[in-house]
Amino acid sequence: MKTDKLSQIFLLVVAAFLVLKYVIHPRIPSSLLYFYMMIVIFAVFIYIISDTKLLQDFLNPIKSIIIKNEDPLIEERNKEARMLIFGLLPLAVAVFTYINLSVGTKQPAELRSIHPEPPLQILFREKPLRILGLKNPLRADKKNLNKYIEEGAVVYFENCFFCHGDNLDGNGHFAEALNPRPADFTDPGSISQLQESYLFWRISKGGQGLPAEGTPWNSAMPSWENVLTEEDIWKVIIYIYESTGMEPRRWEEKPLNR
Amino acid sequence: MMNKFFIYTICVFSIFVILLCTPINSLAQSGTDTITSYREFPLIGSRLAVWIVAQIHLNFAAFILGVPIFSVIVELIGIITKNKEYDKMAKEFIKLTLMALAITSIFGALLTFFLISLYPGFFYYLTGIFAATLWVYPLLFFGETACLYLYWYSWDQLSNRKVVHLFVGILLNVFGLSIMFTANSWVSFITSPSGIDDQGNLLNIWNAITNFTWMPFNIHRFLGNISFGGAIVAAYAGFKFMASKTNAERAHYDWMGYTGNLIAISGFMSLPFAGYWLTKEIYAFSEQLGVILMGGFLSWLWIIQALIIGIIFLATNSYFWLGMERIPGAERYKKYIKYLVSVVALCFLVWATPHTLIATQEEAHRMGGSHHPVVGTLGLMSAKNCAVNIMILATFVSLVLYRRGNKISTVKWFKIGNRIQKMLIFSASGVVIFYGVYGYFVEAVVRVGFSLFQVSSVLFCIISFTIIEIFLFRNAKIIGKIKWGKIPFRSQYSLLAIGVTYTWLMGLMGFARSAMRQNWHVYGVLKDTSADAYTPALGYTANIVSIITLLFIIFVLFIFWISGFGGKKKSIQKDVILPETHQGQSHGIVLFKGAVLSAALIGFFTLYANKIPQIESRIPEELAVPEGKLTQEDIVRIGKGIFEGRGNCSICHLKTGGRGPNLENVGFRAETRKPDMPPKEYLMESIIRPSAYLVKGYGPIMPPANKPPVSLNQGEILAVVAYLQSCGGVVTIKPDDIPEGAFSPKSKEKVLLAKGDITVGEHLFNEKGCSVCHANTAEEKAKLAPNLFDIGKRADIDYIRESIIDPQSKVVKGYDLAMPDFEEKLTLKEFDDLVAYLLSLKG
C-alpha cells in the first residue's frame, strides 16, 4: 500500500533526526542537532508549499481528521482518532513544558570561542612583542631547522606531552581529567588555521591570557612565559608543526599604504 | 504638486546648510577637551540614537540608490522591446524612489545632527580628514535630486524622445553612485584608515579616500543596493497583488513582483563574491581586524547570517517553483523540485554549521573539545564556500527551469546544446567541490585564494549557460502564454518574507561593519572612550535590529500609503472586475497578514540570536597597580584579579560547583574551620600546601600556587588571601604585610628562578671555595677570577648555571686560570642555592 504524503514526510523528518542524532560519531551537541532539525523542517515546509497538489495531499489527511466528514462511515472511524489526538495534545504540551522547565543537574550549554583574536602586542617577560605580523625567527635559519626540531621535541616531551600526548592529538595522560580536552594539533581546524605567533601567544600566556571573548576560558593551559624561554617556545612550535605535517598560516603580504 | 516640491527643496536645502556648517560647528569644539567630546542622548543613550538613525538612513539610501539603477535598465528594455508595460513599471519604480527621497534626507540630516551633537570629538576628527569631500558632497546631492525630478517629471513629456530621457536616468545614476562612493570613503576610512601618519594627521586625502576597503565597500554596496531595492519593490508588488481588485491589476503586480524578485536574486547571487573581496581586503589591511570579524566574538553573527541567507534562498526558490504553476507546460519540470530542494537544504546545513559549537561540558568532553571532529570540519571556510556556490548554482537551475516552462526548443542541436549545459553545471560543481576538498590540504593563505577559482567557475558556468540558452530557445515553440496573476496566493508571502528578511539582514550586517572596530571610532587611530565603547552581544543587537526593521517597515508603509493617493483615480477603469469570490483581500486584511508574517520572522531571528550564549566585547582592561601606597581595597582588588586571572583559581573554584570547593563564603569559613588557627594562616597554608586541609568530598588535586606554572609570590598570595577573606569575612591583611614591589612584573621572575635559598648559597660560596678566586662585593678588587658582585644583573640564570657546570664554555677575557668543574662537587640542592645566591647579587 502506498502511504500518504503526510506519513511520508513525517518519516522523512524522523529519519533525518535519527541520522543526525545517531549516525554521526562522536554525537553532535544537542544545540547543533536542534539547529539542523530546524533547517530540515524549514526545507521540508518550503518543499510542501511549493507545489499545490503536494500541499493538498499533505493537508487532506490532517483536514479529514480535524474537520467533520460528510460520510458517516469515515466520520465514525475518524472520531476516535480525533479524540485521541485532541486528548494527547494537551498531554504533549504538558510534557514539553515539564521538560523545558525542569531544572536538571546538567550545566548549561556554553559557547566558547576556540580561537579568539590575539592581542596586538604582548609583554613576554616584560619584553614587548608585537603578535600581529610576528614570524618565527628560527625559521629564517634554514640550516639548523633539523636541530630546532629535535630541540623542540625535547621541550615538548619535557613540558607539553603530559596533556597533549605523544601523538600530539590531545590524548596525553592528563587529558581525561581536563575539560575542555587539551588541543588536538592533528585536527585540520586547529594549528593549520593559525599563524605561529598565535601559538606563541597561547603558549606563553596560557588559559589565563585569553581575552574576555574567549570566555568562559576554562582552559587549563598554564602560562609558560616564566618557564620556557622565547627560543624554547619557537622551537616547540616548529616541532609541533613539523611532526603533525601541518603548515602554519602565513601572514598576508600587504603593500605598505599607510 | 507644487507643495510637495517645496517640501523636498527645503529638505535638500537644509542638508546643504548642515553639511556646509559642519566643519565650522565642530571647530568650535576643542579637540583636546575630552570631557565634552561626548554628550548623552536622553533615555536611550547616544550610541543607540546614532545606531538607529544611521541604519534607517542607510536602508532608505540603499533603496533610493538601488532602484534607479534597475529602473533605467527596465526602461531600456522597454525601448528595445517596444513593450509599454516595461516603461510603466520603470515609472512606478521611480515613483517609489521619489517618495523615499525625503525620508532619506531627513534621516541623513538627523544622523549628521546626532554626530555633531553627541560625538563632537569624533566628528571633528573625521571632518578634519575629509573636509574637501564634504564640500563636494552637497553638490552631488543637488545633482542627484535635480536629475531625479527631471527624470520623473519629464517622463510623459519626453515619451517620444526616449533616448534623451534615458540619458537623464543614466546621469541620475552617475550622481547616485558618486554620492555613495563619497560616503563610503568616510565609512571605509574608519574601518581601515590610510593616508595618515602615526599620530592620525592627514597626509594625503586621496590615500585616505582610496583606503583598503573603499572599493570593495563600493562594489558590495552597489550590488547590495540593487538587490535590496529589488526585494523591497517585490514586497511592495506582493502586497499590491494580494489587495488587487481587477485581473489586470493583479497580472501587473504579479509581473512586477516577479521582476523585482529576479533583480533581487541576481544581485544576491553575486553578493558573496563581493563579500569575499571585502573580507580579503580587511584581512590585508589588518589580520587582527579580519580575525575579530570572522573568528572572534562576531563569529556567531555569521551563523545567524547563514540562517537568514539560507531562508532567503529557499524562499526565492519556492517563489520560482510556485511561479511554474502559472506557466502552461511547466509541469514537466515539477519533478526536479525535490532534488533541487534537497541540494539547497544540504548546502544550507553545511553553510550554517558553526565552527565552534555550543555544548555542555559533558558534550564537549565527548567530542573532545569545543569543535566536532566531523561536523567541525564543515564549519571551515572551504566547506562553506562549496555550499554557497552550489546553492547559487541550484537557484540558477531553478530559474532556468522556470524560464523554460512554456518553451519547446525548435533548434536541431537542442540535445547537444542541452548536454553541454548539463556538463557546464556539473563541471562547475565539480570545480567547486574539488577546490573545497583540496582546500583542506593546503595552507590558509592558498586556501583563501581558492575561493576565486570557485567563484569564477560558477560565474563562467552561469554566463556561458545563459548564452547557450538564448540560442537554444530562439524562436522556440510556446506551449501557452504565461498567465500572469494566476500564481498561488501564498507565493506572495515569499516576496514579503524576502523583503522583511532582507531588511533585517541589512541591519545585522550594519552592526558587523561597525562592531568589528570594537572600541575604536577610527580603527587603530581614534579610541572610543565613551560609556558605550564596549560592543554589545548578539542578543541585544538582534533586539535593536528588529526595532530598526520594524521602524523601517512602518516608514515604507507610510510611503506606499502616500504614493497610493496619486494613482487611485484611474485604477478602476475598464478592466474586468474579478468575480466576488476571487476578489483580492482588503488592504486591512493584507496588512494584518503581512504584519503577522513579519512579526513571526523578526521574532524568530530575535529569539534565535538571544538563545545563543551572549558574548560582549569589553574594552580591554589593563590591570593597573596603583602608584604609591596601597590601600586594603587595592589589595583585595588585586587579589580578585589574580584569583580570576593569572592564578587560574576560578577554573576549579566555581560558584556553580566545580572541581574545587565553592569559595563564595570562604572568608567566614576560614575564621571558623580551625578555631585554633588565625584565618590568614589557614588560607595561606591552604594555598601553599593545598592537601593540608582538604574539604570533605574533594580530592588532593590542587597544585601549590607558589610553584610553577602559576608561581605566585608572597605578596600575590597575600593579596589572594585578602580577597578570599573579603568573601564573607574580615580582611586582616594590612598594606604593610605586602613586600615592596610584590606586584611589579619583575618580581614574578625572581620568585620562580630563585628556587634555592640565598643565605645557604652565600654560605656555600665561601665553603666550596668560590671566594678564593671570586670577589663578591664591589669594594673588593677582582682576584684571580671576575668579581661577581653584580653578576645577578649581568648574567641570566642559564649563563650562571652553565658557568658552574661547564666553566670552560664561558671564559671571560683576561682571566686565563681555568675554573675547576663543580658539577660533581655540588648536590642539586646546593647547586640551586648557589645559583639563587649569585642571582641575588645585583651590585
Side-chain angles (χ1 to χ4, degrees):
Chain A
M1 195 188 100
K2 205 167 180 284
T3 48
D4 58 311
K5 286 283 174 208
L6 177 64
S7 0
Q8 269 180 23
I9 282 162
F10 182 71
L11 284 176
L12 181 75
V13 172
V14 170
F17 179 77
L18 293 176
V19 167
L20 290 173
K21 188 161 169 75
Y22 294 108
V23 174
I24 304 172
H25 260 283
R27 288 202 343 232
I28 58 175
S30 55
S31 67
L32 187 65
L33 181 67
Y34 293 136
F35 189 57
Y36 277 168
M37 283 315 293
M38 197 167 76
I39 293 174
V40 168
I41 289 171
F42 183 70
V44 168
F45 168 76
I46 287 289
Y47 174 55
I48 294 167
I49 64 157
S50 296
D51 188 335
T52 306
K53 194 173 164 301
L54 182 64
L55 183 66
Q56 278 162 1
D57 288 348
F58 180 77
L59 287 179
N60 277 341
I62 302 176
K63 270 185 190 158
S64 73
I65 296 269
I66 295 172
I67 300 163
K68 198 172 178 216
N69 208 295
E70 305 279 301
D71 191 336
L73 265 174
I74 302 172
E75 173 62 17
E76 194 58 35
R77 204 183 60 211
N78 280 351
K79 211 171 174 183
E80 282 166 20
R82 189 184 305 150
M83 279 166 78
L84 201 67
I85 287 171
F86 283 111
L88 288 177
L89 211 60
L91 202 66
V93 171
V95 168
F96 181 77
T97 313
Y98 175 76
I99 291 170
N100 271 284
L101 290 182
S102 67
V103 180
T105 49
K106 261 195 221 159
Q107 277 190 343
E110 54 192 29
L111 170 65
R112 187 173 162 265
S113 179
I114 344 176
H115 299 145
E117 66 270 17
L120 285 168
Q121 183 177 312
I122 61 168
L123 278 179
F124 185 85
R125 297 194 186 176
E126 294 176 64
K127 175 185 164 194
L129 276 178
R130 207 176 146 75
I131 291 295
L132 186 68
L134 181 65
K135 289 176 185 159
N136 192 338
L138 303 184
R139 292 244 182 223
D141 186 7
K142 290 213 173 64
K143 270 186 288 177
N144 288 326
L145 197 65
N146 282 331
K147 186 177 141 243
Y148 293 141
I149 295 170
E150 274 170 34
E151 287 167 0
V154 173
V155 175
Y156 183 85
F157 282 97
E158 277 176 356
N159 302 286
C160 322
F161 136 88
F162 305 101
C163 296
H164 292 283
D166 41 7
N167 292 330
L168 294 95
D169 56 358
N171 269 329
H173 295 86
F174 301 153
E176 277 304 317
L178 298 175
N179 194 2
R181 294 175 70 95
D184 172 5
F185 300 129
T186 58
D187 186 314
S190 118
I191 53 172
S192 64
Q193 303 284 324
L194 304 165
Q195 284 97 359
E196 290 183 290
S197 68
Y198 192 97
L199 272 73
F200 188 89
W201 165 57
R202 293 288 283 114
I203 293 169
S204 57
K205 293 295 175 185
Q208 60 232 34
L210 284 170
E213 297 91 89
T215 49
W217 40 257
N218 43 10
S219 156
M221 176 82 174
S223 152
W224 294 96
E225 185 182 4
N226 292 322
V227 182
L228 300 173
T229 64
E230 202 180 322
E231 217 185 38
D232 281 342
I233 298 179
W234 285 126
K235 280 177 194 164
V236 81
I237 289 171
I238 296 188
Y239 169 73
I240 292 171
Y241 277 107
E242 287 300 321
S243 60
T244 49
M246 303 271 182
E247 287 280 324
R249 186 181 191 140
R250 275 184 289 153
W251 291 102
E252 302 260 349
E253 306 289 331
K254 71 168 160 187
L256 283 170
N257 191 348
R258 233 177 105 175
Chain B
M1 203 61 90
M2 211 40 224
N3 199 11
K4 221 188 266 171
F5 191 76
F6 184 65
I7 295 169
Y8 293 142
T9 321
I10 287 191
C11 286
V12 172
F13 186 71
S14 56
I15 297 265
F16 215 116
V17 171
I18 295 154
L19 287 167
L20 282 178
C21 290
T22 45
I24 307 154
N25 244 350
S26 39
L27 271 175
Q29 284 288 335
S30 161
T32 51
D33 192 356
T34 46
I35 298 155
T36 54
S37 67
Y38 297 106
R39 288 196 197 90
E40 194 55 17
F41 193 79
L43 292 174
I44 57 171
S46 302
R47 168 168 60 187
L48 207 51
V50 169
W51 185 353
I52 291 173
V53 167
Q55 191 59 51
I56 294 178
H57 171 64
L58 202 87
N59 285 356
F60 274 108
F63 183 71
I64 61 163
L65 293 180
V67 173
I69 296 170
F70 56 76
S71 188
V72 167
I73 296 170
V74 169
E75 196 189 2
L76 181 69
I77 295 171
I79 294 171
I80 294 168
T81 58
K82 298 203 167 60
N83 188 339
K84 279 272 178 230
E85 280 293 311
Y86 282 109
D87 200 58
K88 195 178 148 198
M89 189 158 69
K91 196 178 166 187
E92 196 160 357
F93 288 158
I94 286 296
K95 193 168 91 178
L96 299 176
T97 317
L98 214 54
M99 300 294 165
L101 182 70
I103 292 198
T104 317
S105 318
I106 290 166
F107 276 97
L110 215 51
L111 175 61
T112 321
F113 279 139
F114 276 12
L115 284 176
I116 296 169
S117 56
L118 302 174
Y119 290 91
F122 167 54
F123 203 75
Y124 172 69
Y125 177 72
L126 209 59
T127 46
I129 300 286
F130 285 106
T133 63
L134 290 175
W135 303 324
V136 184
Y137 190 72
L139 299 176
L140 293 173
F141 199 83
F142 181 76
E144 157 94 4
T145 317
C147 283
L148 184 60
Y149 284 116
L150 200 62
Y151 190 52
W152 166 253
Y153 285 110
S154 67
W155 205 293
D156 296 328
Q157 274 93 324
L158 290 176
S159 56
N160 47 355
R161 289 166 68 190
K162 267 290 171 201
V163 181
V164 178
H165 189 247
L166 199 67
F167 177 73
V168 176
I170 291 168
L171 205 62
L172 164 66
N173 280 309
V174 169
F175 276 117
L177 284 179
S178 308
I179 286 181
M180 190 184 76
F181 278 34
T182 315
N184 280 352
S185 70
W186 312 330
V187 175
S188 58
F189 176 81
I190 61 173
T191 310
S192 56
S194 65
I196 49 174
D197 63 13
D198 286 340
Q199 276 73 47
N201 301 312
L202 182 67
L203 294 177
N204 183 335
I205 188 164
W206 182 242
N207 283 349
I209 293 171
T210 58
N211 57 65
F212 271 95
T213 53
W214 181 59
M215 216 8 120
F217 258 126
N218 290 339
I219 303 297
H220 198 278
R221 281 191 164 166
F222 172 72
L223 292 171
N225 288 352
I226 295 177
S227 190
F228 182 66
I232 297 296
V233 162
Y236 166 79
F239 183 84
K240 283 280 195 182
F241 176 94
M242 288 197 270
S244 293
K245 292 280 181 288
T246 66
N247 273 336
E249 209 184 338
R250 183 173 288 182
H252 174 70
Y253 284 117
D254 187 6
W255 185 56
M256 185 170 170
Y258 166 75
T259 316
N261 188 47
L262 193 65
I263 291 162
I265 203 64
S266 319
F268 202 67
M269 289 205 284
S270 43
L271 261 184
F273 311 148
Y276 290 144
W277 187 33
L278 177 56
T279 319
K280 195 175 178 324
E281 287 298 300
I282 290 173
Y283 266 97
F285 166 70
S286 159
E287 205 101 6
Q288 177 89 358
L289 203 58
V291 177
I292 294 170
L293 183 64
M294 305 305 296
F297 85 107
L298 283 176
S299 60
W300 268 75
L301 184 142
W302 304 104
I303 302 303
I304 299 175
Q305 189 221 26
L307 184 70
I308 288 172
I309 291 182
I311 288 173
I312 292 180
F313 266 114
L314 273 176
T316 306
N317 276 298
S318 164
Y319 182 76
F320 285 139
W321 298 329
L322 275 174
M324 286 181 179
E325 292 187 6
R326 64 174 170 230
I327 304 178
E331 318 76 65
R332 295 173 292 167
Y333 299 114
K334 281 247 148 178
K335 59 176 181 276
Y336 295 115
I337 293 179
K338 52 180 170 289
Y339 304 116
L340 287 169
V341 82
S342 313
V343 169
V344 175
L346 210 62
C347 293
F348 191 175
L349 283 174
V350 172
W351 203 30
T353 301
H355 184 208
T356 317
L357 301 172
I358 301 170
T360 63
Q361 291 235 324
E362 191 196 334
E363 286 167 337
H365 194 253
R366 194 170 57 210
M367 60 189 192
S370 295
H371 73 263
H372 193 278
V374 183
V375 178
T377 323
L378 300 180
L380 296 180
M381 193 188 169
S382 284
K384 295 192 177 209
N385 272 353
C386 271
V388 75
N389 278 310
I390 292 181
M391 200 136 79
I392 288 171
L393 278 178
T395 310
F396 178 68
V397 171
S398 277
L399 178 62
V400 167
L401 292 182
Y402 171 89
R403 303 278 304 181
R404 282 188 182 184
N406 58 347
K407 291 180 195 137
I408 294 174
S409 176
T410 51
V411 290
K412 284 197 189 91
W413 49 281
F414 174 73
K415 271 205 171 137
I416 306 162
N418 202 29
R419 207 167 286 161
I420 293 171
Q421 283 180 321
K422 271 183 194 158
M423 253 171 53
L424 276 171
I425 293 279
F426 282 112
S427 51
S429 313
V431 170
V432 167
I433 292 171
F434 169 75
Y435 277 112
V437 175
Y438 188 41
Y440 286 98
F441 298 96
V442 295
E443 57 171 332
V445 177
V446 181
R447 181 179 334 126
V448 173
F450 281 176
S451 59
L452 189 72
F453 301 131
Q454 294 177 315
V455 164
S456 35
S457 70
V458 168
L459 274 184
F460 174 76
C461 166
I462 289 178
I463 290 168
S464 38
F465 191 108
T466 314
I467 293 169
I468 298 175
E469 185 80 0
I470 290 169
F471 285 105
L472 269 186
F473 289 93
R474 232 204 198 145
N475 307 321
K477 201 177 123 206
I478 306 289
I479 296 170
K481 277 189 106 175
I482 299 176
K483 297 175 193 143
W484 290 110
K486 287 278 180 281
I487 192 168
F489 243 60
R490 61 182 178 281
S491 64
Q492 303 303 307
Y493 291 118
S494 291
L495 295 182
L496 290 186
I498 292 170
V500 171
T501 311
Y502 214 120
T503 311
W504 207 88
L505 181 62
M506 288 268 284
L508 188 71
M509 290 298 102
F511 169 75
R513 184 195 59 72
S514 185
M516 71 174 149
R517 285 175 292 134
Q518 294 188 306
N519 59 322
W520 295 92
H521 284 313
V522 180
Y523 187 72
V525 178
L526 190 67
K527 239 189 187 137
D528 184 350
T529 54
S530 69
D532 293 327
Y534 73 95
T535 317
L538 284 174
Y540 176 82
T541 303
N543 299 346
I544 304 302
V545 169
S546 297
I547 291 169
I548 290 168
T549 308
L550 286 176
L551 285 174
F552 179 71
I553 291 173
I554 289 168
F555 279 116
V556 165
L557 283 176
F558 175 71
I559 290 171
F560 289 169
W561 178 63
I562 290 186
S563 74
F565 285 146
K568 235 173 200 170
K569 282 160 260 160
K570 17 178 183 156
S571 68
I572 302 168
Q573 280 176 342
K574 49 192 178 281
D575 294 340
V576 186
I577 295 180
L578 292 170
E580 196 59 43
T581 46
H582 288 272
Q583 202 146 20
Q585 293 143 333
S586 77
H587 275 91
I589 291 172
V590 177
L591 207 57
F592 176 72
K593 286 181 170 177
V596 170
L597 180 78
S598 312
L601 273 169
I602 294 172
F604 169 67
F605 300 145
T606 315
L607 190 72
Y608 185 73
N610 275 291
K611 257 197 98 122
I612 56 174
Q614 303 296 307
I615 306 172
E616 267 177 6
S617 169
R618 291 257 151 214
I619 313 151
E621 208 175 324
E622 326 258 303
L623 192 81
V625 178
E627 299 277 319
K629 199 98 181 89
L630 293 165
T631 62
Q632 208 167 40
E633 283 87 70
D634 285 335
I635 297 168
V636 170
R637 193 175 50 76
I638 292 167
K640 184 169 192 267
I642 295 168
F643 185 89
E644 288 167 355
R646 236 169 59 71
N648 277 353
C649 317
S650 51
I651 289 169
C652 298
H653 295 284
L654 300 164
K655 293 243 160 75
T656 48
R659 285 164 282 222
N662 178 0
L663 299 179
E664 221 165 1
N665 213 10
V666 65
F668 174 71
R669 273 184 283 137
E671 286 163 11
T672 52
R673 189 144 182 254
K674 298 270 168 205
D676 52 333
M677 202 174 187
K680 177 187 152 191
E681 302 300 314
Y682 171 75
L683 289 170
M684 281 291 276
E685 191 79 7
S686 306
I687 291 172
I688 296 169
R689 292 203 302 128
S691 35
Y693 307 106
L694 284 178
V695 177
K696 206 180 165 192
Y698 292 94
I701 55 165
M702 176 169 151
N706 58 337
K707 298 271 166 63
V710 174
S711 320
L712 301 181
N713 66 25
Q714 177 80 5
E716 288 170 330
I717 290 173
L718 281 169
V720 173
V721 169
Y723 165 65
L724 292 176
Q725 285 186 326
S726 77
C727 301
V730 182
V731 183
T732 60
I733 309 285
K734 291 182 191 65
D736 295 335
D737 296 344
I738 310 279
E740 187 105 0
F743 304 130
S744 75
K746 263 205 180 86
S747 55
K748 278 177 212 153
E749 196 174 3
K750 202 172 105 194
V751 168
L752 176 77
L753 299 180
K755 272 191 290 192
D757 192 321
I758 297 172
T759 42
V760 178
E762 187 175 6
H763 179 69
L764 285 168
F765 188 80
N766 296 318
E767 192 186 297
K768 294 283 169 185
C770 313
S771 55
V772 175
C773 304
H774 293 282
N776 58 356
T777 51
E779 294 78 47
E780 279 176 89
K781 277 188 77 177
K783 301 176 184 174
L784 295 164
N787 190 341
L788 300 178
F789 76 99
D790 61 347
I791 187 73
K793 213 159 64 181
R794 281 189 285 128
D796 65 1
I797 186 163
D798 293 327
Y799 183 94
I800 295 173
R801 279 178 173 160
E802 203 168 346
S803 306
I804 300 173
I805 296 167
D806 183 13
Q808 255 57 47
S809 69
K810 311 252 195 271
V811 176
V812 181
K813 235 182 179 173
Y815 297 97
D816 301 330
L817 190 72
M819 174 171 150
D821 201 341
F822 276 88
E823 199 183 352
E824 306 286 303
K825 292 178 188 147
L826 294 166
T827 66
L828 204 59
K829 170 82 176 69
E830 286 171 334
F831 179 70
D832 279 347
D833 292 342
L834 191 60
V835 171
Y837 168 67
L838 290 173
L839 266 177
S840 75
L841 295 173
K842 305 261 173 182

